[in-house]
Amino acid sequence: MKMTEEIMEVWSGEILKNLQRATDIFEVEISCPFDTKRFSPGQFVSIAPLAQESVMSRPFSISSVHDSSFSILIKTIGKNTDLLSEMQKEQIKVWGPCGKGNPITDLRFDELWLIGGGIGIAPLVFFNKVFSDYEKECRSGRGRVRVFYGSQSEEDLDFNLFPADSVEYSTDDGTFGSPGKITELFIKEIEMIRSKKITVVTCGPNIMMRQIARICKHRDVPCFVILEQPMACGTGICLGCSVKMKSGMKRICKDGPVFPAEEVIWDELT
Amino acid sequence: MALQNPIMPASGTFGFGEEVAAFAGMDLSRLGAMVGKTATLEPRDGNPQPRICECEGGMVNSIGLEGKGIDYILEYNVPFMASFGVPIIFNISGFSLNDFALLAQKANSVKAISAIEGNISCPNVEGGKIPFGSTAKAASEVTTVICEVTDLPVIIKLTPNVEPKSMIGEIASAVEEAGADAISMINTVKRQNIGGIPFCGLSGPPIKPIALELIKIVLEQISIPVIGMGGISCLEDVLEFLQLGCSAVAIGTANFSNPLIMMEIINGLEKYCQDNQIYDLTQLRGIVE
Ligand SMILES: Cc1cc2nc3c(=O)[nH]c(=O)nc-3n(C[C@H](O)[C@H](O)[C@H](O)COP(=O)(O)OP(=O)(O)OC[C@H]3O[C@@H](n4cnc5c(N)ncnc54)[C@H](O)[C@@H]3O)c2cc1C
Ligand SMILES: Cc1cc2nc3c(=O)[nH]c(=O)nc-3n(C[C@H](O)[C@H](O)[C@H](O)COP(=O)(O)O)c2cc1C
Ligand code: FES
């Protein structure tokens, strides 16, 4: 699997497609002038602010890559995501690949569990693709990928992201899939596991990741978390996203955004 | 110290150049100078999150001088910066006069460093909660202790957070008299309770008028060069600062929304000079004596 490239590209990306996928969720396809194989799951791109009054770049995880473009999945929560959701065929300034990519070097797991809460599912779509392809290539019968995708309600779920047989849904209001929090579904499932070796990657609200990390630790399951902090540069320069971790200060944008869960001091995150 | 052009990054918005150099299209050897993040005596974790937030059309930050400490920076970061062959302005900050003296002494012994920039905006622990840069007396004292231990040109970076505004002129004069070779300004503008950050500093477009106003006051009172900064985000802004009388300018927050902005401004400035038949660059070339 590909390691992070050192060179950071800056380009004018064309919005090739922009499709609404769920309430407030859009899939935006952006042109890419370099080999998209350079993107690794977990990495993100920074988008120059679109709103007149914004000065900080906007980070978005790569959710899928195509021949000469890639897609991001955005949730409209404010001025820039609102503007982005309305763009068609326009050019935006983009830079990346940002951050370190896939951290999973030990591939001797029976199952890879990807647990996403809300828009936190975005980077896991890319993880799913890469590891499902890998499993198929190996044909070892090991390395199956299982996705757990939770949201508040059915209307917030994007059903285009995963093949039906690899994903389990949950909704807080019980309108689709397993009723309740995604963490409850996770606990139920992990308690049924006896001898399988599981590796977990999770992205979503900190409270959710924290709980998953705690359970994984308890059961000796390797767990990686994809973290978020407000970012200004997205490239390790401003120290705006820097947080204290067990091994010292880490920049989420440059040293992450994927970290081994045991590195994280949860109370240090906002 | 002569610069090939008047464009440089502002401290804290450039790291020590490593991440910036990784951008395709970025050629650090074309900068007028390089300015590193503030170096402190000891390694520092800086402030807890949250640290940054957009506001007023700019952003506030409260990084809290996170850094690995001067010894690490001199050993690992300065050699990298030096490999591009442009002057290195080494930014330092301390919490006491003694800190500043030790920092300047350490920097002075490194050949690759072309000038020392004293960031006097952070609180003076010995004297209470007031930054060195907010009174003429304290600013003058810091300048004196730095100048005493170094032969390098000394730049003092002023904070705009002074009361009343006209005080900035007195502070600048005191700094000049104490031996500074240049002044850089402005640092961020004080704000409180923004986005969950108790104390923070505003940067970007909304502080440009403040920078221009304060620089004008300072230029009337001193004869040493001024490196201007505060909300510069395009060539027009650069020309505005140069025309006001700045000898050079620094680009800060604008680097975050366009990583190649400094290259674009340098190209734009070259073209501007050609188009306007400015063959003699003395008005536009940065000169910090
Ligand atoms: C590494 C990384 C990867 C990311 N990947 C994705 C992704 O794939 N898809 C996606 O939709 N988003 C992603 N985000 C979050 C995304 O960057 C923000 O939602 C976006 O910057 C908001 O910009 P805005 O101008 O629309 O909102 P603003 O107008 O800036 O903010 C609107 C409101 O939302 C709050 N807010 C701002 N940012 C966040 C945030 N990150 N989380 C929660 N509340 C916030 C603000 O405080 C404000 O109240 C990622 C963030 C990081 C750090
Ligand atoms: C994230 C950030 C970090 C900064 N860190 C420092 C620093 O370490 N030392 C310093 O002297 N100034 C620091 N500054 C201030 C800038 O150098 C500059 O003076 C100020 O931001 C005004 O310029 P601008 O509006 O172009 O950003 C920082 C500014 C920002 C936005
Ligand atoms: S966002 Fe600037 S260092 Fe991470």
Side-chain angles (χ1 to χ4, degrees):
Chain A
M1 244 155 273
K2 199 95 179 88
M3 290 305 292
T4 317
E5 292 281 349
E6 285 298 323
I7 294 173
M8 187 79 80
E9 310 283 349
V10 193
W11 72 101
S12 177
E14 186 182 343
I15 312 263
L16 301 172
K17 249 189 242 162
N18 200 338
L19 300 170
Q20 181 154 19
R21 294 302 200 182
T23 305
D24 301 338
I25 307 273
F26 294 79
E27 187 179 334
V28 186
E29 185 181 336
I30 303 168
S31 69
C32 181
F34 56 88
D35 190 351
T36 55
K37 287 198 190 72
R38 282 177 54 190
F39 288 119
S40 168
Q43 285 187 309
F44 63 96
V45 288
S46 293
I47 294 184
L50 303 166
Q52 186 65 43
E53 67 269 35
S54 287
V55 295
M56 288 166 29
S57 69
R58 294 301 198 268
F60 296 97
S61 301
I62 307 289
S63 82
S64 58
V65 296
H66 324 290
D67 283 344
S68 51
S69 63
F70 63 92
S71 297
I72 57 175
L73 205 60
I74 65 160
K75 178 173 169 138
T76 51
I77 63 153
K79 38 197 186 297
N80 291 279
T81 44
D82 283 347
L83 285 169
L84 187 54
S85 74
E86 286 159 11
M87 295 177 107
Q88 299 282 359
K89 304 285 162 212
E90 280 160 89
Q91 308 276 334
I92 55 174
K93 191 187 286 293
V94 189
W95 56 97
C98 300
K100 288 200 169 63
N102 169 42
I104 304 172
T105 47
D106 184 355
L107 294 166
R108 290 166 303 169
F109 48 78
D110 297 308
E111 290 184 357
L112 177 65
W113 287 18
L114 305 175
I115 306 162
I119 193 62
I121 201 67
L124 302 181
V125 179
F126 195 9
F127 271 95
N128 177 57
K129 171 77 178 126
V130 167
F131 282 93
S132 298
D133 286 353
Y134 179 76
E135 184 209 353
K136 275 180 215 136
E137 262 169 48
C138 295
R139 292 201 200 119
S140 59
R142 298 178 76 197
R144 179 180 165 217
V145 185
R146 285 179 70 183
V147 181
F148 300 90
Y149 177 12
S151 74
Q152 280 172 10
S153 188
E154 179 179 10
E155 61 186 27
D156 306 318
L157 290 167
D158 178 351
F159 292 102
N160 303 290
L161 300 174
F162 306 100
D165 60 350
S166 64
V167 56
E168 283 147 82
Y169 298 97
S170 76
T171 51
D172 297 358
D173 66 2
T175 43
F176 194 86
S178 176
K181 298 275 178 206
I182 186 85
T183 42
E184 294 164 28
L185 174 62
F186 168 68
I187 292 166
K188 198 181 89 197
E189 294 293 326
I190 197 107
E191 277 174 353
M192 297 190 322
I193 299 297
R194 289 290 163 258
S195 58
K196 274 187 197 154
K197 274 186 65 150
I198 313 274
T199 292
V200 165
V201 183
T202 181
C203 185
N206 287 339
I207 185 168
M208 168 201 129
M209 293 192 283
R210 184 178 191 161
Q211 214 177 336
I212 290 171
R214 205 189 58 226
I215 295 158
C216 288
K217 184 171 179 220
H218 196 67
R219 297 182 141 259
D220 247 343
V221 168
C223 175
F224 296 92
V225 294
I226 308 182
L227 300 181
E228 216 183 273
Q229 280 295 322
M231 293 182 176
C233 70
T235 51
I237 295 160
C238 72
L239 306 184
C241 68
S242 201
V243 293
K244 192 182 206 148
M245 294 215 175
K246 301 243 171 77
S247 64
M249 298 305 293
K250 295 278 147 104
R251 295 160 299 178
I252 303 290
C253 69
K254 179 81 181 170
D255 306 314
V258 195
F259 291 93
E262 62 268 20
E263 255 291 300
V264 180
I265 305 170
W266 292 97
D267 287 334
E268 293 286 336
L269 302 176
T270 47
Chain B
M1 180 176 67
L3 316 178
Q4 60 180 338
N5 67 58
I7 309 298
M8 64 182 82
S11 176
T13 66
F14 179 73
F16 294 95
E18 266 145 80
E19 297 83 4
V20 182
F23 278 106
M26 174 57 80
D27 180 357
L28 295 186
S29 69
R30 293 187 64 211
L31 294 176
M34 282 191 216
V35 187
K37 169 84 183 162
T38 292
T40 53
L41 258 193
E42 303 295 330
R44 287 172 56 85
D45 284 352
N47 291 332
Q49 288 289 336
R51 288 181 169 193
I52 50 174
C53 183
E54 279 182 346
C55 98
E56 301 175 43
M59 64 178 281
V60 289
N61 86 80
S62 168
I63 308 296
L65 298 183
E66 176 182 341
K68 295 204 161 78
I70 187 166
D71 293 338
Y72 179 98
I73 295 165
L74 291 178
E75 188 169 351
Y76 297 102
N77 299 125
V78 170
F80 177 82
M81 290 206 277
S83 66
F84 295 90
V86 301
I88 297 174
I89 296 176
F90 193 77
N91 184 300
I92 58 172
S93 194
F95 297 92
S96 65
L97 290 175
N98 195 41
D99 279 8
F100 272 103
L102 288 170
L103 285 158
Q105 220 162 27
K106 283 177 187 260
N108 187 55
S109 63
V110 178
K111 255 187 86 185
I113 294 174
S114 309
I116 292 174
E117 180 175 51
N119 167 9
I120 58 170
S121 306
C122 76
N124 160 4
V125 170
E126 283 178 339
K129 292 251 178 296
I130 308 158
F132 285 103
S134 57
T135 66
K137 183 167 173 285
S140 156
E141 282 169 3
V142 187
T143 310
T144 303
V145 302
I146 298 174
C147 291
E148 266 171 8
V149 298
T150 180
D151 330 311
L152 291 170
V154 172
I155 304 164
I156 297 296
K157 182 166 177 176
L158 301 187
T159 167
N161 305 310
V162 297
E163 282 291 340
K165 266 183 222 158
S166 58
M167 174 77 108
I168 197 79
E170 287 161 46
I171 294 170
S173 300
V175 163
E176 177 178 33
E177 208 160 295
D181 301 280
I183 276 174
S184 57
M185 62 191 289
I186 58 174
N187 213 311
T188 55
V189 177
K190 195 166 152 191
R191 287 288 180 273
Q192 279 185 34
N193 299 318
I194 310 278
I197 314 173
F199 297 95
C200 44
L202 182 66
S203 65
I207 71 168
K208 196 180 88 174
I210 303 171
L212 290 168
E213 186 189 354
L214 296 182
I215 290 170
K216 189 155 178 283
I217 298 173
V218 165
L219 282 166
E220 280 163 6
Q221 307 239 350
I222 61 165
S223 52
I224 52 175
V226 169
I227 303 172
M229 69 195 78
I232 296 178
S233 51
C234 60
L235 179 62
E236 289 67 36
D237 294 342
V238 168
L239 294 172
E240 209 177 338
F241 278 74
L242 294 178
Q243 275 150 11
L244 184 67
C246 292
S247 302
V249 295
I251 318 290
T253 302
N255 289 304
F256 304 151
S257 51
N258 179 359
L260 299 180
I261 186 75
M262 290 191 289
M263 292 294 109
E264 290 172 14
I265 287 178
I266 290 169
N267 291 339
L269 193 59
E270 278 175 1
K271 184 163 183 307
Y272 175 86
C273 292
Q274 275 166 13
D275 291 353
N276 293 279
Q277 303 184 341
I278 301 174
Y279 300 118
D280 178 4
L281 276 173
T282 44
Q283 300 134 287
L284 287 173
R285 196 178 68 213
I287 298 174
V288 183
E289 299 287 352

